[in-house]
């Protein structure tokens, strides 16, 4: 519904640099809203190319005994039989829209999200099954649930079932290349069905085309020098400063003409959607870009019928428990039903032209097991691997490890935090060693290190690129008496600066357990060891 007095929720400011000018949303949001909510304007609108970057995430993957020589079950570096190594780092492509295009996607996402939520709430059980990309209210305070709550709900379900049955079965699935594999015809059909239309209206059709038949530029192509390896060069800061000063906005290009000329001169290449599905010997274009404001609701909408079928067959038909967080699926059910449910899920997902990642499909049985000489028993996980059981192998879900008798942070996440800490020490140590000023002691100050590793949670991972949750000073371009624009800095106000330690505290509060802080008990020792190693090398 249109609101002429209050800025709508989808009207959000974006801070990143792009191909077109940044927007003054607080001043001009009404004019933007008028254009975006005009279907005639949108159906003829030409969307800009997206900005493409890649997030690399270190992953521990299963070892395939037929291909790899690793002795451990999981690794981040596969050993090959030709004495070579293959890294398991996951490359996740992200695409960002220009500031105005992002507002358009945000508006249409709000329309679809409202209709999608209405559809889910027709069945309260269905409403509880889908967790990702939604604001699910926790209590009267209006606060939303987090992945901590979602994980606890699953673990509590396993515990509660173990009180009244000897064994509890659990299946976990992961959809392979979820966003980049969505079938365009199916997506368009589900989109029009949600609107209760036989086909998409012209404005929705144009937005759909921009999400599926998109073009993009590589962010690295905009750097001063394009290089395949080593430290990446910066951007043309002289040109960026000139645009800010003379034009009063932030952008890689001062005008559309400047952008078009750069392309015509062959200085910037435009790429087309490179996602595809293979049908027989033919490649069919598929997928949507991950990173658009509308991507999340489209991903949920695409699996709406899948969720309904799982609810009918597994939850209502077999008394199971089902949760889906984006492409991560978990089902709790009777042990005797696990084989049938596994086959059903793998066949059902094929109807959506998607595929379950077989290497990430895992099966667990939870039951009481004796753990000491006093013959006391406790709930314990038994991972099912090729007809064998691995006692105590954890069920990994949403960043947590659950063994039945305890819950803790995923060990690889703790390792990532420690690597970040050591990386900060190494960088500070190198800076101290290079310093030749005799009046400045060669030292690394712990308080400075702690300030860095207590930064906001998403800012800890240097691989997160554009999605960092940074809380920096806000900058504004203000015109001065010389008709030039100067940068005015105002401190940002954010009361909820979540860092890794506040995350640990929330885990302890929600799970009512002190085990999480114990997982970081080595941080002081690692800090001292890293300083001794890198400062005195």
């Amino acid at each position: 519904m249109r609101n002429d007095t209050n800025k709508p929720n989808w009207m959000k400011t974006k801070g990143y640099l792009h191909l077109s000018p940044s927007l003054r949303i607080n001043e001009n949001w009404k004019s933007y809203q008028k254009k975006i909510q005009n279907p005639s304007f949108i159906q003829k609108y030409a969307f800009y190319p997206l900005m493409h970057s890649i997030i690399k995430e270190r992953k521990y993957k299963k070892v395939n005994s037929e291909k790899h020589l690793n002795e451990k079950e999981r690794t981040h570096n596969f050993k090959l039989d030709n004495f070579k190594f293959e890294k398991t780092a996951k490359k996740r492509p992200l695409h960002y829209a220009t500031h105005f295009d992002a507002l358009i996607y945000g508006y249409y996402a709000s329309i679809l999200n409202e209709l999608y939520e209405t559809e889910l709430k027709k069945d309260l059980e269905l409403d509880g099954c889908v967790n990702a990309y939604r604001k699910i209210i926790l209590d009267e305070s209006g606060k939303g649930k987090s992945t901590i709550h979602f994980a606890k709900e699953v673990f509590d379900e396993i515990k509660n079932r173990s009180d009244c049955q000897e064994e509890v079965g659990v299946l976990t699935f992961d959809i392979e290349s979820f966003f980049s594999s969505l079938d365009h015809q199916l997506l368009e059909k589900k989109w029009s069905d949600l609107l209760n239309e036989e086909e998409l209206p012209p404005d929705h059709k144009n937005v759909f085309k921009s999400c599926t038949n998109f073009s993009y530029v590589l962010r690295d192509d905009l750097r001063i020098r394009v290089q395949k390896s080593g430290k990446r060069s910066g951007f043309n800061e002289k040109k960026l400063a000139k645009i800010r000063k003379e034009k009063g906005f932030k952008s890689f290009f001062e005008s559309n003409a400047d952008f078009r000329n750069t392309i015509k001169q062959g200085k910037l290449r435009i790429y087309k959607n490179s996602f595809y599905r293979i049908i027989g010997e033919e490649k069919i274009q598929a997928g949507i870009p991950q990173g658009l404001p509308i991507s999340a609701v489209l991903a949920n909408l695409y699996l709406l019928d899948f969720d309904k079928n799982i609810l009918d067959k597994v939850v209502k038909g077999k008394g199971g428990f089902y949760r889906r967080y984006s492409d991560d699926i978990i089902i709790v059910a009777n042990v005797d039903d696990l084989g049938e449910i596994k086959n059903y899920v793998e066949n059902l997902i094929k109807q959506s032209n998607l595929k379950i990642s077989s290497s990430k499909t895992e099966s667990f049985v939870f039951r009481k097991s004796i753990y000491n000489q006093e013959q006391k028993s406790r709930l314990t996980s038994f991972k099912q691997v090729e007809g064998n059981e691995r006692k105590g192998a954890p069920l990994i879900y949403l960043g947590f490890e659950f063994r039945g008798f305890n819950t803790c942070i995923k060990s690889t996440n703790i390792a990532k935090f420690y690597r970040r800490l050591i990386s900060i020490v190494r960088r500070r140590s190198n800076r101290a060693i290079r310093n030749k000023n005799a009046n400045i002691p060669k030292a690394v100050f712990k308080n400075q290190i702690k300030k860095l590793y207590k930064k906001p949670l998403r800012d800890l991972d240097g691989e997160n690129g554009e999605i960092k949750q940074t809380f920096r000073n806000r900058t504004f371009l203000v015109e001065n008496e010389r008709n030039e624009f100067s940068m005015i800095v105002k401190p940002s106000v954010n009361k909820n600066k979540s860092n890794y330690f506040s995350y640990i505290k929330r885990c302890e509060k929600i799970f009512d357990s002190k085990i999480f802080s114990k997982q970081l008990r080595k941080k002081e020792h690692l800090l001292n060891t890293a300083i001794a190693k890198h400062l005195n090398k």
Side-chain angles (χ1 to χ4, degrees):
M1 182 176 178
R2 183 164 178 173
N3 191 328
D4 291 325
T5 57
N6 296 320
K7 186 170 66 176
N9 292 331
W10 51 265
M11 189 78 68
K12 296 180 180 178
T13 302
K14 303 294 182 181
Y16 50 76
L17 268 176
H18 215 290
L19 306 175
S20 67
S22 55
L23 305 178
R24 296 175 178 268
I25 288 182
N26 290 332
E27 300 173 15
N28 304 320
W29 67 266
K30 286 187 177 181
S31 63
Y32 301 147
Q33 183 183 27
K34 185 177 180 180
K35 288 182 178 179
I36 292 169
Q37 291 184 333
N38 180 359
S40 299
F41 174 80
I42 298 300
Q43 73 182 54
K44 299 177 182 178
Y45 180 76
F47 287 83
Y48 271 85
L50 305 175
M51 185 85 71
H52 174 276
S53 63
I54 294 178
I55 293 177
K56 291 183 181 180
E57 296 177 338
R58 187 175 181 176
K59 291 288 184 181
Y60 279 80
K61 293 187 177 181
K62 281 184 179 179
V63 172
N64 186 334
S65 57
E66 297 179 359
K67 297 180 180 179
H68 310 129
L69 303 177
N70 303 70
E71 296 179 358
K72 295 182 179 180
E73 180 189 355
R74 289 177 177 271
T75 183
H76 60 82
N77 219 5
F78 291 137
K79 287 183 181 179
L80 305 179
D81 56 6
N82 56 358
F83 301 102
K84 293 184 179 180
F85 291 87
E86 178 186 341
K87 290 190 177 295
T88 62
K90 179 180 179 180
K91 295 182 179 180
R92 184 156 60 97
L94 286 186
H95 299 81
Y96 306 94
T98 62
H99 296 201
F100 188 76
D101 291 3
L103 294 183
I104 297 175
Y105 290 126
Y107 171 63
Y108 281 85
S110 69
I111 295 174
L112 295 180
N113 197 58
E114 185 176 350
L115 295 171
Y116 176 74
E117 289 290 333
T118 302
E119 188 67 26
L120 288 186
K121 285 176 172 52
K122 291 179 182 179
D123 189 325
L124 293 180
E125 286 188 276
L126 178 64
D127 186 40
C129 290
V130 184
N131 298 146
Y133 316 127
R134 302 174 61 206
K135 185 173 182 179
I136 301 175
I137 303 302
L138 178 61
D139 50 35
E140 295 178 354
S141 67
K143 293 183 179 180
K145 289 185 178 181
S146 68
T147 54
I148 307 173
H149 298 96
F150 300 144
K152 187 176 186 298
E153 286 176 3
V154 173
F155 303 154
D156 285 347
E157 179 69 19
I158 296 172
K159 291 178 182 178
N160 294 336
R161 287 179 178 241
S162 68
D163 291 337
C164 54
Q165 58 191 75
E166 290 186 4
E167 294 184 325
V168 180
V170 178
L171 288 169
T172 61
F173 304 90
D174 183 90
I175 302 174
E176 193 172 288
S177 304
F178 181 35
F179 281 85
S180 57
S181 300
L182 301 189
D183 184 290
H184 291 170
Q185 288 185 337
L186 280 178
L187 179 61
E188 184 175 5
K189 179 68 167 59
K190 294 174 189 294
W191 191 331
S192 58
D193 287 346
L194 189 67
L195 296 175
N196 200 23
E197 301 278 356
E198 290 188 7
E199 58 182 32
L200 290 179
D203 56 325
H204 282 261
K205 182 74 172 182
N206 193 30
V207 176
F208 167 78
K209 285 181 178 179
S210 71
C211 295
T212 52
N213 189 26
F214 60 92
S215 59
Y216 63 90
V217 300
L218 300 179
R219 190 168 185 265
D220 285 344
D221 285 353
L222 295 166
R223 299 182 183 276
I224 297 174
R225 293 182 305 277
V226 179
Q227 50 199 57
K228 294 183 178 180
S229 61
K231 187 177 180 180
R232 292 178 296 184
S233 63
F235 301 106
N236 189 343
E237 294 297 335
K238 186 176 180 180
K239 179 180 179 180
L240 297 179
K242 182 181 178 183
I243 292 173
R244 288 195 301 267
K245 183 178 179 180
E246 296 181 358
K247 301 294 183 179
F249 55 74
K250 301 174 187 177
S251 175
F252 281 109
F253 299 96
E254 61 181 30
S255 64
N256 286 337
D258 182 23
F259 174 52
R260 288 194 295 268
N261 288 337
T262 304
I263 296 172
K264 288 179 181 178
Q265 293 168 9
K267 296 180 180 179
L268 184 63
R269 180 178 174 183
I270 303 293
Y271 297 83
K272 286 290 186 180
N273 177 7
S274 57
F275 303 142
Y276 60 86
R277 296 187 303 110
I278 298 178
I279 301 179
E281 297 181 356
E282 187 179 3
K283 290 183 179 180
I284 305 295
Q285 195 177 66
I288 60 173
Q290 192 171 353
L292 302 184
I294 201 172
S295 298
V297 66
L298 291 182
N300 272 342
L301 172 61
Y302 190 85
L303 289 180
L304 180 59
D305 293 329
F306 174 84
D307 294 328
K308 289 179 177 179
N309 287 327
I310 293 288
L311 181 69
D312 291 337
K313 175 75 174 182
V314 177
V315 179
K316 296 179 179 179
K318 293 188 173 295
F321 178 88
Y322 166 66
R323 289 292 183 269
R324 181 177 64 80
Y325 191 90
S326 187
D327 56 354
D328 290 327
I329 297 169
I330 190 164
I331 294 174
V332 183
N334 295 325
V335 174
D336 294 339
D337 295 330
L338 292 185
E340 181 183 347
I341 292 173
K342 180 176 180 292
N343 292 332
Y344 177 74
V345 172
E346 291 176 343
N347 290 325
L348 181 64
I349 201 69
K350 291 177 182 178
Q351 296 179 16
S352 300
N353 290 330
L354 295 172
K355 182 182 177 182
I356 294 292
S357 177
S358 57
S359 63
K360 295 182 180 179
T361 300
E362 295 183 334
S363 176
F364 294 84
V365 173
F366 287 81
R367 60 173 174 266
K368 298 288 177 64
S369 174
I370 295 173
Y371 69 96
N372 62 10
Q373 294 180 350
E374 298 175 1
Q375 301 298 300
K376 290 183 178 180
S377 64
R378 62 185 180 185
L379 184 63
T380 307
S381 60
F382 291 84
K383 186 176 179 180
Q384 312 299 299
V385 182
E386 298 177 353
N388 299 317
E389 289 188 333
R390 293 185 180 175
K391 183 178 180 180
L395 164 64
I396 298 174
Y397 184 63
L398 299 184
F400 293 91
E401 294 179 350
F402 179 63
R403 293 175 174 81
F405 55 86
N406 76 356
T407 306
C408 56
I409 301 291
K410 187 178 174 182
S411 56
T412 53
N413 290 351
I414 298 293
K416 182 187 291 185
F417 171 77
Y418 285 149
R419 286 198 304 272
R420 174 62 175 167
L421 174 60
I422 294 170
S423 174
I424 293 171
V425 171
R426 183 171 59 246
R427 190 166 61 249
R428 287 296 176 111
S429 297
N430 290 337
R431 188 181 303 171
I433 292 170
R434 288 195 303 268
N435 176 48
K436 303 300 181 183
N437 191 334
N439 297 321
I440 299 177
K442 189 178 77 169
V444 173
F445 298 97
K446 289 185 180 180
N447 285 338
Q448 293 181 359
I449 299 294
K450 290 177 179 178
K451 283 180 182 178
L452 286 174
Y453 72 65
K454 286 183 178 180
K455 273 190 171 184
L457 185 58
R458 291 183 193 169
D459 198 25
L460 282 171
D461 186 0
E463 297 168 341
N464 271 357
E466 289 288 347
I467 63 170
K468 288 182 181 178
Q469 180 187 343
T470 52
F471 298 102
R472 298 173 293 191
N473 291 336
R474 299 175 64 190
T475 58
F476 300 88
L477 292 170
V478 178
E479 190 171 7
N480 56 33
E481 62 275 5
R482 293 176 295 178
N483 295 324
E484 295 178 343
F485 291 85
S486 303
M487 190 85 76
I488 304 298
V489 179
K490 294 183 181 179
S492 62
V493 179
N494 194 300
K495 298 179 180 179
N496 301 313
K497 293 187 178 181
S498 175
N499 58 45
Y500 207 77
F501 295 97
S502 63
Y503 173 73
I504 294 293
K505 288 179 180 178
R506 289 201 307 275
C507 291
E508 291 185 335
K509 181 179 179 181
I510 293 169
F511 279 96
D512 192 22
S513 171
K514 296 295 183 182
I515 193 173
F516 301 102
S517 58
K518 292 180 181 178
Q519 289 186 269
L520 294 180
R521 64 188 180 275
K522 293 183 179 180
K523 64 180 183 297
E524 288 294 333
H525 171 70
L526 281 173
L527 177 59
N528 293 330
T529 304
I531 291 174
K533 175 182 177 180
H534 294 287
L535 192 60
N536 300 317
K537 62 183 180 180

